[in-house]
Amino acid sequence: RYFIDWKNDVDSYFTIDATEGTIATNELLDRESTAQYNFSIIASKVSNPLLTSKVNVIINVLDVNEFPPEISVPYETSVCENAKPGQVIQTVTAADRDLSPAGQKFSFRLSAEASNKPNFTVHDYRNNTAGIETRRNGYSRRQQELYFLPLVIEDSSYPVQSSTNTMTIRVCRCDSDGTILSCNVEAIFLPVGLSTGALIAILLCIIILLVIVVLYVALRRQKKKDTLMTSKEDIRDNVIHYDDEGGGEEDTQAFDIGALRNPKVIEDNKLRRDIKPDTLRFPRQRPPVEDNTDIRDFINQRLQENDVDPTAPPYDSLATYVYEGNGSVAESLSSIDSLTTEADQDYDYLSDWGPRFRILADMFGEEESYNPDKVT
């Protein structure tokens, strides 16, 4: 009997007939992953299984041309704007994953759709290499930056395999010696001679201008807001409240009349805006008050002076004078007309004010009529 000495998973790719000893494949083989298999086969006697022998078997997987050749250089190259016709810009070679036999040949050509375009061509050197050559006198990045060149590569094995590889050709700016200076995309939109530093300087200037404009607009808005707030805080539009009842005729600080005046008018022309004066009059010197002047005449004189005074308080203010007028029971409370001595005083009228003023009438009445012993 024949059987395989199983040692690893590689042995599962093959099987053997126990009677005939025929070796066959059990799975599909791939030379590109495993090119050789090595395992052992054991033979034993049917009548006596202890009598055995072992032999090593090496199986080499033959190559089949199943993979097409591919370009071995990078798929992207460049061309100068000042290139001349017939100039070689790239040399290409091919690579095949199959086991290339001796004398393997690769051929290079353009695809059918690219053969009619007058931009680039392929020159096959017949030594498994080819050159990409220009067919125009100069290229412009502004018109077209990238060119796509389809390249067909074939091998000489059986069956023949071929592939189409698309190469990307980028147009760059070069100096007179053919040295590439710039291939960046943004360089297309820059004029000749404008460096990256100049571009950065221009961008910084634009940013600074934008910042200045934003700050200017912000200051204008802040100034306008402050003006509105100042107009709202005008003292003429506010309500002034005094929670003070005052201290009588001697309290001159209970109410500040200065808040009712217009500060601008006082500073400019000292004229009142609440009434329209007939003629412009200036304050005049007040004549001295005589000693025997009646208090009513004095008050009338002061009222007349304030009516024609342009710097006087507004007409809706309240001026208070200590004069009760004629007809008062107590007469005037002023001490102007008071007698000089208490002896001249006459208090007989106190007896007419009722029983509540009896004691006061007795005290200020005739001296002989007052007896403290009689006071209850």
Side-chain angles (χ1 to χ4, degrees):
R1 294 292 184 265
Y2 304 95
F3 58 90
I4 298 176
D5 185 12
W6 303 102
K7 294 181 180 181
N8 48 47
D9 296 336
V10 178
D11 300 335
S12 62
Y13 283 91
F14 301 92
T15 185
I16 189 171
D17 185 84
T19 304
E20 300 293 336
T22 305
I23 299 175
T25 56
N26 197 31
E27 296 182 11
L28 292 177
L29 304 180
D30 185 9
R31 190 204 62 84
E32 282 69 30
S33 61
T34 305
Q36 186 181 81
Y37 296 89
N38 189 353
F39 55 91
S40 299
I41 296 177
I42 299 176
S44 64
K45 196 172 183 179
V46 177
S47 59
N48 188 1
L50 295 178
L51 298 177
T52 61
S53 63
K54 181 187 293 187
V55 63
N56 292 328
V57 177
I58 298 176
I59 299 178
N60 293 317
V61 182
L62 300 178
D63 185 28
V64 175
N65 191 25
E66 55 183 338
F67 295 100
E70 296 178 351
I71 189 172
S72 59
V73 297
Y75 285 84
E76 183 173 343
T77 186
S78 59
V79 61
C80 295
E81 286 184 313
N82 55 358
K84 303 299 181 180
Q87 181 177 344
V88 178
I89 62 174
Q90 183 68 53
T91 301
V92 295
T93 58
D96 195 347
R97 288 188 292 171
D98 294 322
L99 181 60
S100 299
Q104 174 76 281
K105 296 294 184 180
F106 298 105
S107 61
F108 303 87
R109 58 182 175 85
L110 290 178
S111 62
E113 62 273 12
S115 301
N116 299 326
K117 295 182 180 180
N119 296 318
F120 302 94
T121 185
V122 176
H123 184 196
D124 192 350
Y125 298 139
R126 304 297 179 180
N127 58 355
N128 293 340
T129 61
I132 308 298
E133 298 180 356
T134 59
R135 297 181 62 182
R136 290 176 51 181
N137 187 10
Y139 299 84
S140 175
R141 288 180 298 168
R142 297 181 181 275
Q143 295 180 358
Q144 186 172 352
E145 180 193 4
L146 298 176
Y147 291 90
F148 300 99
L149 185 67
L151 181 63
V152 179
I153 305 176
E154 293 183 354
D155 59 16
S156 59
S157 300
Y158 181 83
V160 177
Q161 299 288 345
S162 64
S163 65
T164 301
N165 302 262
T166 302
M167 292 191 62
T168 301
I169 302 176
R170 184 182 301 273
V171 181
C172 301
R173 183 168 61 91
C174 306
D175 57 10
S176 58
D177 297 333
T179 303
I180 296 176
L181 298 178
S182 175
C183 289
N184 298 330
V185 178
E186 60 272 12
I188 300 175
F189 305 97
L190 297 178
V192 177
L194 188 59
S195 62
T196 306
L199 177 62
I200 295 176
I202 294 174
L203 293 178
L204 289 177
C205 293
I206 294 174
I207 293 174
I208 293 174
L209 290 177
L210 291 177
V211 171
I212 293 175
V213 171
V214 171
L215 291 177
Y216 177 75
V217 174
L219 291 176
R220 287 288 299 272
R221 291 183 178 178
Q222 183 67 26
K223 184 177 180 181
K224 184 177 181 181
K225 182 178 180 180
D226 294 341
T227 304
L228 293 176
M229 293 177 63
T230 303
S231 63
K232 292 181 180 179
E233 294 176 357
D234 193 351
I235 192 171
R236 294 174 296 175
D237 297 335
N238 294 341
V239 177
I240 304 175
H241 175 69
Y242 294 89
D243 191 7
D244 186 7
E245 296 183 358
E249 63 182 4
E250 296 181 357
D251 186 4
T252 59
Q253 302 297 329
F255 179 74
D256 186 9
I257 202 170
L260 298 177
R261 298 184 179 183
N262 191 341
K264 293 184 178 180
V265 175
I266 294 176
E267 294 177 359
D268 295 338
N269 50 17
K270 306 297 184 181
L271 296 179
R272 295 175 59 178
R273 299 180 63 182
D274 50 345
I275 59 175
K276 181 178 181 181
D278 297 334
T279 58
L280 180 62
R281 300 180 182 179
F282 296 93
R284 59 183 180 180
Q285 297 293 333
R286 296 178 179 177
V289 181
E290 300 179 359
D291 296 338
N292 58 354
T293 302
D294 185 78
I295 189 65
R296 181 170 56 186
D297 296 338
F298 172 77
I299 293 174
N300 290 333
Q301 181 181 356
R302 291 292 182 265
L303 289 175
Q304 184 177 5
E305 291 177 356
N306 281 276
D307 288 341
V308 298
D309 187 4
T311 62
Y315 65 90
D316 55 354
S317 62
L318 178 62
T320 305
Y321 299 91
V322 186
Y323 181 73
E324 297 186 4
N326 297 328
S328 174
V329 177
E331 298 182 353
S332 177
L333 298 180
S334 176
S335 61
I336 297 178
D337 296 333
S338 300
L339 299 179
T340 57
T341 61
E342 294 183 359
D344 297 333
Q345 297 286 348
D346 185 8
Y347 297 103
D348 294 339
Y349 60 85
L350 295 176
S351 58
D352 298 335
W353 284 13
R356 295 184 178 181
F357 296 90
R358 173 186 289 179
I359 297 176
L360 187 62
D362 294 340
M363 292 175 61
F364 289 91
E366 296 181 359
E367 296 180 358
E368 62 274 6
S369 62
Y370 175 70
N371 189 358
D373 298 334
K374 297 181 181 181
V375 177
T376 56

